[in-house]
Amino acid sequence: MMKMDSEDFTVAIIPPASAFYPLEGRRYTLCELISTGELTLAIGNQKSYFSTSPPSQLLLTAEWITNLGEYRLDCHVFIDEEEENKHLAKVRFMIFQRELTRLLTALINGDKEIYTYNPLLLDASIHIQYHSSHENLKQSAVVGTPRYYLKTNSTIS
């Protein structure tokens, strides 16, 4: 496992993944440690990488896929669980919307070497899917390209 640390952000590339492999099916799990607020990003080709020790909160998952021959980054944000009330889910949804630029900046900059080996990904679209048990919070959007998050948002914190 390769780690790149900064003051409040850790990236782990889980083998057999590397800085340039795999491209299709490359998966990301972005979490926040509950005790410190540190963002942790795992990159690999499996669904989930983090255990519950230390306790962390899943912020988003993402995967590179192809659609009609074009790459796109599909991101999934999980707003609530079945038992949460609608008001708390709405507050959480608004927080995710406010923090989305920071989260995507962390994800894109945490794996910026992949763009050196695969520059076509710089202009691939990023699709966000918000998942919720409340119908009015289930939404999707296209939120730009990796090039935008690499150029205009150079800091993670």
Side-chain angles (χ1 to χ4, degrees), residues 10-59:
T10 301
V11 177
I13 298 179
I14 313 297
S18 67
F20 57 91
Y21 173 84
L23 181 54
E24 189 167 344
R26 189 175 188 85
R27 295 180 180 181
Y28 304 89
T29 305
L30 183 64
C31 294
E32 181 177 42
L33 296 178
I34 293 172
S35 59
T36 64
E38 175 186 355
L39 291 178
T40 55
L41 175 66
I43 303 167
N45 59 356
Q46 302 297 319
K47 282 265 184 206
S48 180
Y49 309 101
F50 293 108
S51 67
T52 56
S53 178
S56 61
Q57 174 183 3
L58 176 65
L59 298 175

Side-chain angles (χ1 to χ4, degrees), residues 124-154:
S125 61
I126 300 172
H127 294 244
I128 297 290
Q129 179 71 42
Y130 292 98
H131 299 273
S132 174
S133 59
H134 307 286
E135 287 299 318
N136 64 326
L137 299 179
K138 291 180 182 178
Q139 297 182 16
S140 61
V142 178
V143 293
T145 65
R147 184 182 305 275
Y148 170 79
Y149 293 96
L150 285 170
K151 278 187 175 181
T152 61
N153 303 298
S154 60

Side-chain angles (χ1 to χ4, degrees), residues 9-143:
F9 186 61
T10 301
V11 177
I13 298 179
I14 313 297
S18 67
F20 57 91
Y21 173 84
L23 181 54
E24 189 167 344
R26 189 175 188 85
R27 295 180 180 181
Y28 304 89
T29 305
L30 183 64
C31 294
E32 181 177 42
L33 296 178
I34 293 172
S35 59
T36 64
E38 175 186 355
L39 291 178
T40 55
L41 175 66
I43 303 167
N45 59 356
Q46 302 297 319
K47 282 265 184 206
S48 180
Y49 309 101
F50 293 108
S51 67
T52 56
S53 178
S56 61
Q57 174 183 3
L58 176 65
L59 298 175
L60 67 85
T61 62
E63 178 179 3
W64 282 107
I65 64 166
T66 55
N67 185 22
L68 299 173
E70 291 187 13
Y71 282 98
R72 79 174 193 214
L73 185 61
D74 272 1
C75 301
H76 300 273
V77 176
F78 302 94
I79 302 299
D80 61 62
E81 304 207 7
E82 297 281 335
E83 67 274 357
E84 265 191 51
N85 72 45
K86 192 172 186 173
H87 178 71
L88 289 175
K90 188 171 184 175
V91 169
R92 188 168 160 86
F93 177 75
M94 291 178 355
I95 290 169
F96 269 115
Q97 286 187 312
R98 187 185 74 219
E99 294 293 318
L100 187 62
T101 299
R102 182 177 76 97
L103 299 177
L104 289 175
T105 299
L107 186 135
I108 298 301
N109 283 281
D111 195 23
K112 64 175 129 182
E113 286 185 16
I114 193 76
Y115 305 106
T116 302
Y117 296 104
N118 301 284
L120 67 132
L121 296 180
L122 286 169
D123 296 311
S125 61
I126 300 172
H127 294 244
I128 297 290
Q129 179 71 42
Y130 292 98
H131 299 273
S132 174
S133 59
H134 307 286
E135 287 299 318
N136 64 326
L137 299 179
K138 291 180 182 178
Q139 297 182 16
S140 61
V142 178
V143 293

